[in-house]
Amino acid sequence: MAAREPRLVALVPPVREAGSPRVTPGDAGFALLGAIAGASVFLDGYYDFAVWGALTLAALAALVMAIMLWHRRPAPVAAIALGALLALTGFALLSMLWADSVDRAWVESSRLALYLAVAGLALLVVRSRRHATVLLGALAASIVVMALLVLARMHAGDSELFLRHRLHEPLGYVNGMAGCLLMGLWPLVIAAQRARSAALAGAALAGAALIVNLIVLTQSRAAVPAIVGSAVLLLLAFPGRTRRFWALALVLLSAAAAAKWSLAVYASGDVFKVGRPAPDLVRAAAVAITLSCLAAGIAWAGLCRLATRSGHALPRRLAATLAAAVVLLVTAGGLIAIGNPVAAVQRQWDSFTGLAFNTENASRFGDASGQRYDLWRVAMSQFESEPLRGVGAGNYGLQYFQQRGTTDPVRQPHSLELQLLAELGIIGLLILLVFAGAVTVAAVRPFRGMVLSDSSQLRAAALGIFSVWLLHTSIDWLYNIPGVTAMAMIAAGCLLAGRSDHGHRRHTRRMALAGVTIAVALLAASVGRLYVADRYRAEAASVVETDPVAALDATDRALALNSQSMAALYLRAAAFARLDRYVQSRTTLLEATRVERYNYVPWALLGDLAVRRGDRAFARKAYLRALQLNPRDTVLQALYYDPKLAP
């Protein structure tokens, strides 16, 4: 038998032939859907319920229409994933029966309804690789546009982009910026592998390098496990791993080249001060990032052109050996830098559990200090109190103030898994694992008939978006930012899109469709009621200072739709106070204390009201009760000892 020739692999992909398919009118619709989600980075991630509540209603209405027009049976893995999301949403709604704050559970279940609607809509409308390409491309393009605008503002020396010397805008949240940027990384890396020309390949890689450089400016530690975990997943699960490795290596090399100037922006500040870096530092970082990204893009484009013209390739084993050598060298360098690994781990553990910020480090990426430990400890404490069903969706923040060991006012545990354990118990976590597992299976081992079954590159890009979101939100709260999470749900929907080849009875299909349609319609009715109540609440807030009577009328309508709305009760009490109706104002706040037993705010407001009335004795009692529910609040401590300090 003749000796087998070694398999060859190019370090960069061969450039595809020029030419592109004709643009169709339907592309605009998918581009718009992706752009709506991507545009959230410029609108605070749609964090305001007034925004995402309206989007939820629109998405649920579109989902009902898509279900009614659906003529195919989804693949089993898709049915499992969507069923899990529906079950999680339903269980969150059910938790209103035992949650201390019914209002918060209602809001949280409505947020889940949005994610269900987005994932389901993407699953139903994506019917070809082209649809998925346009949709995912629109998401990535939105992130690239945002990154380029940030870079342009940095060149102008705009230090308003930063909060505490960390990149904060335009999303308005440091870790959210990092997570959002990361979701554009893998589509660009895949595009750099598969671009039709060397120029496009280089531009895509330069975009990926820009994203990682900007992540350095956020100093978001959650980005590190998100990059590492998603890289391991995508390198192991999909072909083309050697080229993908070298593309990622060049991206990281670009960030390392500009690190001296990027890290200087954060190192120039104090974590405890709400300061911003000097414009000169911002401009210097922008220049360094621009040059490093251009160098990376040009280098990749040159390698692509060289591979196309000369057909230069390396034996597959040699290319893999070189990649392994790079990993080993980087690992060895890291071990040398940290010294004794056991001692280093012990130091980081002490920092993690010490609940204090380390202000001496020039970067946060190798620092475990902070208050995450306390947030997670409280979540586990709540889980232990209600291990099966949890304390109720959205209710972590109520008991947190009573149980916290720091003065941190954060209301989320900064971990999706721990949030579900605390709020929805083991049932909620298991449902999440079923959903995430189904999406991963659809990406790695797709069923025949699924839209992306014959495109490993598109599956890699979509799984990259979903996996970095899941890994990042495992140690942060991206989950609570609707616009950012919607992008992950779109990627999940693309992976799940397709049909089953198994036959089915028409009667069974009609029954299933009818059941799902009814469930989605009921969700829409629930969200709609909450949304209208919130609009009345907003109306009251806008006039409470100028027209208290109109504010009372608006709160009447809000409470008729949502009798558990604490915000509406606060506004109603404020309106009564402005009309000098002390008894009614006090009665309203006492009602609020019964609505949410663990909420310290109505007791603090009762104390303030009593001080204005001159009832110092009752004010101290109210402040004492508020202090019992929030014992580490220094303002409440001062008010209890001296009620005259009340505003």
Side-chain angles (χ1 to χ4, degrees):
M1 181 183 297
R4 184 175 62 180
E5 295 182 359
R7 299 177 68 187
L8 302 180
V9 58
L11 291 183
V12 295
V15 179
R16 292 183 174 182
E17 295 181 359
S20 60
R22 181 174 59 85
V23 176
T24 64
D27 293 341
F30 287 97
L32 179 62
L33 179 60
I36 290 174
S40 68
V41 298
F42 301 103
L43 299 168
D44 299 326
Y46 300 147
Y47 190 70
D48 188 349
F49 178 64
V51 178
W52 71 259
L55 290 175
T56 303
L57 291 174
L60 287 171
L63 180 60
V64 169
M65 293 178 61
I67 291 173
M68 295 177 67
L69 297 173
W70 180 254
H71 298 295
R72 299 177 293 174
R73 181 180 181 181
V77 68
I80 291 172
L82 264 293
L85 267 184
L86 182 60
L88 190 61
T89 306
F91 191 57
L93 272 172
L94 187 64
S95 73
M96 293 168 63
L97 297 176
W98 62 82
D100 184 67
S101 174
V102 174
D103 183 47
R104 297 188 188 199
W106 199 353
V107 170
E108 199 62 30
S109 61
S110 298
R111 196 192 323 267
L112 282 168
L114 171 63
Y115 302 155
L116 168 67
V118 171
L121 193 59
L123 185 155
L124 294 179
V125 301
V126 171
R127 301 191 179 186
S128 69
R129 289 174 53 184
R130 184 181 180 84
H131 292 164
T133 301
V134 173
L135 190 50
L136 297 175
L139 291 179
S142 299
I143 296 171
V144 170
V145 168
M146 182 262 288
L148 290 172
L149 289 175
V150 168
L151 185 62
R153 291 176 62 180
M154 288 178 61
H155 274 288
D158 188 353
S159 59
E160 297 296 319
L161 289 165
F162 297 84
L163 178 66
R164 291 189 173 92
H165 294 250
R166 300 169 64 190
L167 185 62
H168 178 259
E169 297 293 347
L171 186 64
Y173 173 52
V174 170
N175 292 323
M177 278 292 298
C180 182
L181 286 165
L182 261 179
M183 294 169 76
L185 174 63
W186 288 112
L188 289 171
V189 170
I190 300 301
Q193 287 184 257
R194 308 300 296 175
R196 294 186 176 87
S197 70
L200 288 176
L205 192 96
L210 174 59
I211 280 175
V212 175
N213 274 282
L214 293 183
I215 288 172
V216 173
L217 291 173
T218 68
Q219 289 292 302
S220 173
R221 292 171 292 185
V224 176
I227 291 177
V228 173
S230 62
V232 171
L233 179 60
L234 267 65
L235 289 173
L236 293 178
F238 301 99
R241 53 185 61 89
T242 305
R243 295 192 296 270
R244 194 171 299 122
F245 170 84
W246 288 110
L248 182 61
L250 192 54
V251 166
L252 296 177
L253 181 62
S254 168
K260 176 182 177 180
W261 295 271
S262 300
L263 294 177
V265 175
Y266 174 72
S268 65
D270 187 333
V271 69
F272 293 107
K273 295 181 180 179
V274 186
R276 291 184 170 85
D280 288 345
L281 285 175
V282 174
R283 279 191 289 265
V287 171
I289 290 172
T290 301
L291 293 176
S292 69
C293 292
L294 287 175
I298 292 171
W300 187 256
L303 290 172
C304 288
R305 190 173 299 277
L306 179 63
T308 302
R309 289 183 175 179
S310 64
H312 176 70
L314 291 177
R316 185 179 296 274
R317 289 184 179 179
L318 178 57
T321 301
L322 288 173
V326 170
V327 173
L328 289 175
L329 285 173
V330 172
T331 304
L335 290 175
I336 293 172
I338 66 174
N340 185 339
V342 176
V345 170
Q346 183 62 51
R347 286 195 302 271
Q348 293 301 328
W349 176 254
D350 292 340
S351 296
F352 179 63
T353 57
L355 302 181
F357 285 102
N358 188 345
T359 60
E360 298 178 357
N361 290 338
S363 172
R364 291 166 53 88
F365 291 122
D367 178 23
S369 67
Q371 298 177 333
R372 286 286 196 283
Y373 177 77
D374 194 53
L375 298 173
W376 295 356
R377 176 191 61 80
V378 172
M380 290 305 299
S381 174
Q382 293 182 8
F383 165 65
E384 290 170 0
S385 68
E386 288 285 353
L388 189 63
R389 65 182 187 178
V391 298
N395 276 242
Y396 168 87
L398 277 180
Q399 298 182 35
Y400 166 72
F401 287 98
Q402 191 173 12
Q403 300 171 352
R404 64 179 176 169
T406 70
T407 58
D408 196 334
V410 175
R411 296 175 182 268
Q412 299 88 11
H414 282 61
S415 170
L416 173 56
E417 293 82 0
L418 290 176
Q419 182 172 345
L420 287 178
L421 274 178
E423 297 180 352
L424 296 177
I426 194 67
I427 295 176
L429 180 62
L430 289 176
I431 295 174
L432 171 69
L433 294 178
V434 170
F435 169 68
V439 173
T440 304
V441 168
V444 178
R445 292 288 185 270
F447 287 76
R448 187 172 60 181
M450 300 189 75
V451 169
L452 301 185
S453 60
D454 60 345
S455 177
S456 62
Q457 302 301 324
L458 278 176
R459 285 188 279 116
L463 184 60
I465 293 174
F466 181 79
S467 62
V468 296
W469 167 81
L470 183 60
L471 290 166
H472 199 288
T473 200
S474 294
I475 48 180
D476 202 71
W477 54 280
L478 292 188
Y479 159 79
N480 296 87
I481 306 177
V484 176
T485 299
M487 291 191 278
M489 294 301 105
I490 287 175
C494 290
L495 289 169
L496 298 168
R499 62 178 178 82
S500 172
D501 289 335
H502 300 289
H504 59 280
R505 295 179 180 178
R506 180 176 298 179
H507 177 70
T508 303
R509 184 181 70 85
R510 287 179 176 175
M511 290 286 291
L513 288 178
V516 173
T517 303
I518 292 172
V520 173
L522 290 175
L523 280 177
S526 172
V527 176
R529 184 184 178 104
L530 183 64
Y531 181 76
V532 175
D534 185 72
R535 292 298 82 213
Y536 285 132
R537 191 271 318 158
E539 178 185 338
S542 66
V543 299
V544 66
E545 295 183 1
T546 58
D547 191 349
V549 174
L552 287 175
D553 290 339
T555 56
D556 277 339
R557 293 191 291 270
L559 291 169
L561 294 169
N562 180 9
S563 62
Q564 307 294 303
S565 172
M566 296 294 285
L569 288 171
Y570 297 155
L571 286 168
R572 187 169 181 79
F576 278 132
R578 287 189 172 274
L579 294 171
D580 292 327
R581 295 162 67 176
Y582 172 76
V583 174
Q584 290 93 330
S585 181
R586 175 174 167 170
T587 301
T588 302
L589 290 175
L590 286 173
E591 180 184 352
T593 65
R594 292 187 289 270
V595 170
E596 291 187 3
R597 296 171 300 163
Y598 295 104
N599 195 335
Y600 72 93
V601 175
W603 288 106
L605 293 176
L606 276 167
D608 295 344
L609 183 66
V611 169
R612 297 190 196 101
R613 186 71 174 180
D615 190 349
R616 299 285 178 82
F618 182 80
R620 291 200 67 189
K621 291 180 181 179
Y623 287 138
L624 176 61
R625 180 54 184 156
L627 197 55
Q628 290 171 343
L629 295 172
N630 188 4
R632 293 187 177 273
D633 192 303
T634 56
V635 174
L636 288 175
Q637 292 171 7
L639 289 172
Y640 171 69
Y641 289 108
D642 188 2
K644 290 186 297 183
L645 298 174

